[in-house]
Amino acid sequence: MAVRKAAWSGLNGLFTVYKPSGVASLRVRDSVETLLLKELNSLKQPDMPQQVRFLPTTVEGNAGKELTLTVTQLPVLAAHPLVRGPNFTHLKIGVGHRLDTKSSGVLVLGVGHGNKLLTDLYDAHLTRTYTVRGLFGKATDDFSDTGKLIEKTTFDHVTRDKLERILAVIQGTNHKALLMYSKIDLKTQEAYELAVEGLIRPMEKTPPLITAIRCLQFAPPEFQLEIQCLHETQKYLRKVVHEIGLELKSTAVCTQVRRIRDGFFTLDSALLRTHWNLRNIRKSIQDSRIKVQVELQRNLGHQAKSGERHTNMDQVTESELHRTEGISASNISPYAD
Amino acid sequence: MFLAPRGGLGGPYLREAEDSAPVFQYVGKQAKRKERVFVWGFCHAGALGIPSFVKPDAGWKKSRRIQPTPYRLDTVEKISSAACGYGFTLISSKTTDITKLWGMGLNKDSQLGFQRSRKDQTKSYEYVLEPSPIPLPLDTPQQTRILQVSCGRAHSLILTDIEGVFSMGNNSYGQCGRKVIKGEIYSESHVINRLQEFEGRVVQVVCGQDHSLFRTEKGEVYSCGWGADGQTGLGHYDITSVPTKLGGDVAGVNIVQVASYGDSCLALSDEGDLFGWGNSEYMQLASITETTQVNVPRHLPFKIGRIKDVACGGTGNAIVNEEGNVFVWGYGILGKGPNLMETATPEMIPPTLFGLSDFSPDTRVSRIRCGLSQFAALNNRGELFVWGKNIRGCLGIGRMEDQYFPWRVTIPGEVVDVAF
């Protein structure tokens, strides 16, 4: 009983899962739920309640067979699992930012009371990082390599230098859009200070915005980009790859989209398919509980207090991810990691 | 949980169809990039060079007063140098063809030379609406190349490689380098003066508002024109009509760049030292002197690293040092928010505003230019950042409000040079 209660109470919070490609994220959610339920139901059941019954039996008496009552202890069948059904039939598991079927990567799931935190996570408007692999030479209708072929082009004129130039242009235009959608009055001193630290970010629904983009690998026809974005969909990222191909006077399709960071959840904490069991999930919830609380409080509390767009969120994750990189937008981090 | 089959059905079928599809080639391996000119700002004087802005081609269309974002200007040749004056523009090409200089905009003082009118052969156009060739009296028109052009308030200077400097336009203060003729009428004038009084070859020409500066190969600076603010740097406040060598702290120093736009001037030596003279009403030289007019070049002892590029505006100055950091001082919107409106000592603008970030840590500012109360900076990725007073949309950011910190201008392509 104590084990079950502990197990049940530990299942309230947020945890991350590594979603493989080729599977819809809702199916992932369903299978996690099924696995958890199976484990919860297989936990040691308490002893079944017994009842004392006086059953009529025949006893050899003086004048032949006589009817007497004998005391027997029988289990209460009403409490039997085969009668009542399994104890746990439903778990409230919600999905954070969705990933479409072809992409893979970090997927945030909330269980129990954690579902309320999912809404808060959405309102915090944190950025997400993806690694995107592309292939030059083809253009398809859905911008990925499995779509219907539209056109093939040459790509031997494409160099890393040209690609980086295009990426710089994309980053510049998106940075400008970021400032414009933030709806902050640009004539004030605080707008200047926020722009210096790179902390201006829109805090409401906007079209997809790319906050940073860079090339990790370039080996024509293949290339790999790292994209940090806001309010995006995976189809938009594939479209970005397609447009990069067009800008380079060639064509490109996207072969892989992989989310490596969602807000402050990174790949290290994501659970693989083989680790989807009760113990690991509870541990993951426990580990991330404090961090989630602190970060959400900082993001939303600040927002509610002054109605300003100000957060140190990206600063923390960026300084954690790119610790070896030279200059950071702001070197002050409250977590002296 | 099982994996759904990827993509469509008919694997090998599809692959065969893909392999046999034709391959398009849009651009070859040796493709070169095209150079273009973009214009923006106030249109009514015709300085943008697009006639439909001033005289629309259809009756129902309205003329455009301001072009708020960069608009492409089609040019015949590849343009190597451009300069903006007050209501007029000069663009030049390094070609050896006979036509190498074009001008558009205001021509009331013949700052664009004599533009023969088609209606009356003896008269010249007062406003030139599209880039029109300016004929120069060259000795060898098919060998001389124009290296640089510069425009002031109502005069222009053209620097050639083998034939020296040509000047045209208003000469009421001797800024064209020739004797002031009392009562001379400058409109519809054919006069283009050739300046020969230099020791050595001139390598840079700069126009202030009503004065001219010339820098020679040897590192000497000459000036002529109006001097009431001391901008000629010759030790007096009168006008000079003959280019005269400057003394003061720049005597004997190898100057590698001069800059001016309004009534104050800056010069940079090969060792990275800065010299200033001229107007100091806006605290441009307040760090070394209390007087508001300095008529002798003085050394400015700023400790801001080795300076690579200088720009002198109407009320504010800016420099870029070796590390790519921008320093500003003077008066007006300096680029550090609305709180910093004047300073006598240079203040650095944080490099994150020019595109420096964790993802691109080697972004540096490479060039700086100044307008009357505007600044423009180019970084090594070819991005243009502007800030300052947005008079009649001159910043090109699409909005009409003043910009208090550097803002990226959206231009399709990599920017190589900008002129204010």
Side-chain angles (χ1 to χ4, degrees), chain B residues 40-43 65-68 390-395 400:
Chain B
W40 64 90
F42 186 61
C43 316
R65 183 176 163 259
I66 289 175
Q67 173 56 35
N390 197 3
I391 302 173
R392 294 185 288 261
C394 63
L395 290 183
M400 289 298 138

Side-chain angles (χ1 to χ4, degrees), chain A residues 20-23 27-28 31 102 138 145-147 149 151-154 156-157 162 164-165 168-169 171-173 176 179-180 186-189 191-192 195-197 212-214 226 228 248-250 255 273 276 318 322 325-329, chain B residues 1-4 6-8 14 17-29 31 33 335-340 348-350 352-353 356-361 364 381 383 397 399 401-410 413-414:
Chain A
S21 77
V23 159
R27 210 185 260 266
V28 167
S31 50
K102 270 194 272 226
K138 257 183 15 170
D145 55 344
T146 50
L149 179 74
E151 195 181 77
K152 284 204 310 196
T153 50
T154 59
D156 45 3
H157 60 275
K162 286 187 194 166
E164 305 223 317
R165 252 186 245 149
V169 168
Q171 194 160 346
T173 46
K176 200 168 140 175
L179 294 175
M180 280 177 40
L186 291 166
K187 292 211 201 130
T188 53
Q189 184 68 17
Y192 162 72
V196 169
E197 294 184 38
I213 183 168
R214 68 173 170 176
E226 187 179 330
Q228 209 180 64
L248 288 165
K249 310 258 189 327
S250 175
T255 47
R273 170 84 180 79
W276 292 353
E318 275 187 40
H322 309 293
E325 223 114 306
I327 307 147
S328 149
Chain B
M1 194 169 68
F2 62 94
L3 295 169
R6 280 239 213 145
L14 213 61
E18 275 190 23
D19 285 341
S20 61
V23 180
F24 289 85
Q25 181 178 44
Y26 287 105
V27 69
K29 238 179 155 162
R33 301 166 81 196
K336 291 189 73 157
N339 284 2
L340 185 73
M348 186 172 94
I349 297 186
T352 48
L353 288 171
L356 182 74
S357 70
D358 283 345
F359 268 49
S360 50
R364 304 261 177 277
R381 287 165 161 266
E383 294 174 335
I397 50 179
R399 289 178 280 124
E401 305 142 2
D402 300 338
Q403 180 59 34
Y404 289 89
F405 57 91
W407 188 262
R408 190 178 182 269
V409 178
T410 315
E414 221 179 273

Side-chain angles (χ1 to χ4, degrees), chain B residues 38 74 88 110 173 190 196 199 225 237 241 298:
Chain B
F38 288 86
D74 275 322
F88 67 104
S110 301
Y173 305 110
H190 286 260
Q196 310 262 29
E199 285 171 24
Y237 293 111
S241 50
R298 298 278 305 274

Side-chain angles (χ1 to χ4, degrees), chain B residues 54-313:
Chain B
V54 185
K55 279 190 178 301
D57 25 1
W60 54 268
K61 285 193 196 165
K62 276 204 276 221
S63 69
R64 216 180 285 210
R65 183 176 163 259
I66 289 175
Q67 173 56 35
T69 47
Y71 189 96
R72 202 179 80 185
L73 174 71
D74 275 322
T75 52
V76 175
E77 299 265 359
K78 180 175 136 169
I79 302 298
S80 62
S81 174
C84 296
Y86 279 44
F88 67 104
T89 322
L90 277 183
I91 49 178
S92 76
S93 161
K94 272 203 181 133
T95 172
T96 48
D97 290 351
I98 297 177
T99 317
K100 13 178 160 245
L101 180 67
W102 298 264
M104 52 257 202
L106 203 60
N107 197 25
K108 285 198 171 168
D109 281 317
S110 301
Q111 52 264 61
L112 304 175
F114 189 82
Q115 299 288 336
R116 198 180 300 275
S117 159
R118 264 192 247 157
K119 277 195 226 163
D120 185 348
Q121 300 275 348
T122 55
K123 292 211 189 300
S124 158
Y125 283 125
E126 276 191 344
Y127 290 91
V128 179
L129 296 183
E130 64 174 1
S132 308
I134 299 172
L136 288 174
L138 295 167
D139 289 335
T140 52
Q142 284 176 313
Q143 282 159 31
T144 321
R145 289 181 203 267
I146 297 183
L147 298 177
Q148 192 211 331
V149 287
S150 186
C151 299
R153 183 186 60 85
H155 72 295
S156 335
L157 290 176
I158 298 112
L159 174 67
T160 59
D161 55 349
I162 48 180
E163 293 201 41
V165 183
F166 290 86
S167 68
M168 49 198 190
N170 193 307
N171 194 39
S172 8
Y173 305 110
Q175 61 263 48
C176 285
R178 57 188 171 90
K179 198 148 172 293
V180 180
I181 299 165
K182 206 163 163 197
E184 182 181 352
I185 299 170
Y186 297 106
S187 76
E188 299 178 349
S189 161
H190 286 260
V191 178
I192 298 183
N193 188 29
R194 186 164 157 183
L195 296 163
Q196 310 262 29
E197 300 87 0
F198 304 106
E199 285 171 24
R201 200 164 62 91
V202 179
V203 288
Q204 189 193 357
V205 287
V206 170
C207 285
Q209 196 158 356
D210 281 309
H211 72 291
S212 313
L213 295 171
F214 311 86
R215 177 173 69 87
T216 61
E217 234 175 352
K218 289 204 256 180
E220 296 167 345
V221 183
Y222 291 74
S223 73
C224 64
W226 203 41
D229 273 330
Q231 59 263 55
T232 43
L234 297 168
H236 57 78
Y237 293 111
D238 308 319
I239 62 173
T240 318
S241 50
V242 171
T244 322
K245 205 186 324 194
L246 261 69
D249 286 357
V250 299
V253 179
N254 185 12
I255 300 290
V256 293
Q257 195 189 349
V258 282
S260 178
Y261 195 92
D263 290 329
S264 70
C265 316
L266 282 179
L268 176 67
S269 76
D270 58 348
E271 283 162 20
D273 290 320
L274 202 58
F275 301 86
W277 66 96
N279 193 356
S280 182
E281 281 166 24
Y282 302 103
M283 305 173 67
Q284 293 104 321
L285 306 171
S287 55
I288 45 164
T289 172
E290 293 258 321
T291 51
T292 50
Q293 274 88 15
V294 177
N295 59 4
V296 172
R298 298 278 305 274
H299 175 62
L300 295 166
F302 295 140
K303 294 267 179 297
I304 39 185
R306 202 194 161 102
I307 302 171
K308 246 182 31 164
D309 202 12
V310 295
C312 195

Side-chain angles (χ1 to χ4, degrees), chain A residues 66-322:
Chain A
E66 264 184 31
L67 225 64
T68 44
L69 290 170
T70 31
V71 178
T72 43
Q73 205 178 35
L74 291 173
V76 177
L77 279 180
H80 197 273
L82 284 175
V83 170
R84 263 216 325 218
N87 272 314
F88 301 100
T89 47
H90 176 65
L91 265 181
K92 266 195 190 171
I93 297 186
V95 181
H97 297 107
R98 284 216 214 139
L99 277 171
D100 65 358
T101 314
K102 270 194 272 226
S103 355
S104 57
V106 169
L107 186 66
V108 176
L109 296 175
V111 68
H113 293 303
N115 288 316
K116 294 183 205 143
L117 294 172
L118 280 178
T119 344
D120 293 340
L121 205 65
Y122 181 79
D123 289 334
H125 295 281
L126 303 164
T127 60
R128 292 175 273 288
T129 313
Y130 291 78
T131 47
V132 173
R133 275 189 188 274
L135 202 70
F136 284 120
K138 257 183 15 170
T140 53
D141 59 349
D142 67 346
F143 313 131
S144 77
D145 55 344
T146 50
K148 181 175 137 194
L149 179 74
I150 306 257
E151 195 181 77
K152 284 204 310 196
T153 50
T154 59
F155 51 88
D156 45 3
H157 60 275
V158 177
T159 60
R160 185 165 187 153
D161 184 46
K162 286 187 194 166
L163 179 67
E164 305 223 317
R165 252 186 245 149
I166 303 287
L167 295 183
V169 168
I170 292 177
Q171 194 160 346
T173 46
N174 273 283
H175 182 71
K176 200 168 140 175
L178 206 69
L179 294 175
M180 280 177 40
Y181 277 116
S182 311
K183 291 208 175 71
I184 203 165
D185 187 9
L186 291 166
K187 292 211 201 130
T188 53
Q189 184 68 17
E190 57 190 340
Y192 162 72
E193 270 151 26
L194 288 177
V196 169
E197 294 184 38
L199 293 178
I200 293 187
R201 219 177 59 206
M203 281 310 221
E204 63 229 341
K205 192 128 182 19
T206 63
L209 289 170
I210 295 179
T211 49
I213 183 168
R214 68 173 170 176
C215 178
L216 293 176
Q217 282 172 31
F218 182 78
E222 290 180 0
F223 62 98
Q224 191 182 32
L225 306 170
E226 187 179 330
I227 306 179
Q228 209 180 64
C229 41
L230 206 60
H231 306 145
E232 80 300 342
T233 57
Q234 286 76 45
K235 187 146 188 200
Y236 177 76
L237 294 174
R238 292 197 190 97
K239 191 169 166 209
V240 166
V241 170
H242 168 83
E243 279 171 5
I244 287 173
L246 290 179
E247 281 290 322
L248 288 165
K249 310 258 189 327
S250 175
T251 44
V253 287
C254 176
T255 47
Q256 185 202 56
V257 173
R258 193 163 169 244
R259 190 193 277 160
I260 58 175
R261 179 183 70 87
D262 185 344
F264 39 85
F265 292 104
T266 56
L267 268 184
D268 335 329
S269 51
L271 293 170
L272 292 174
R273 170 84 180 79
T274 47
H275 299 153
W276 292 353
N277 51 40
L278 186 63
R279 197 170 68 102
N280 286 342
I281 290 177
R282 273 184 60 206
K283 185 163 170 299
S284 167
I285 293 175
Q286 180 77 4
D287 289 340
S288 63
R289 197 155 51 99
I290 298 172
K291 197 155 76 144
V292 168
Q293 211 175 25
V294 171
E295 297 299 345
L296 282 180
Q297 204 176 38
R298 195 142 46 112
N299 272 292
L300 298 171
H302 219 283
Q303 198 182 356
K305 200 173 25 164
S306 47
E308 255 176 51
R309 298 103 196 82
H310 179 76
T311 175
N312 292 335
M313 199 49 260
D314 291 298
Q315 188 185 321
V316 172
T317 36
E318 275 187 40
S319 62
E320 277 176 11
L321 280 179
H322 309 293

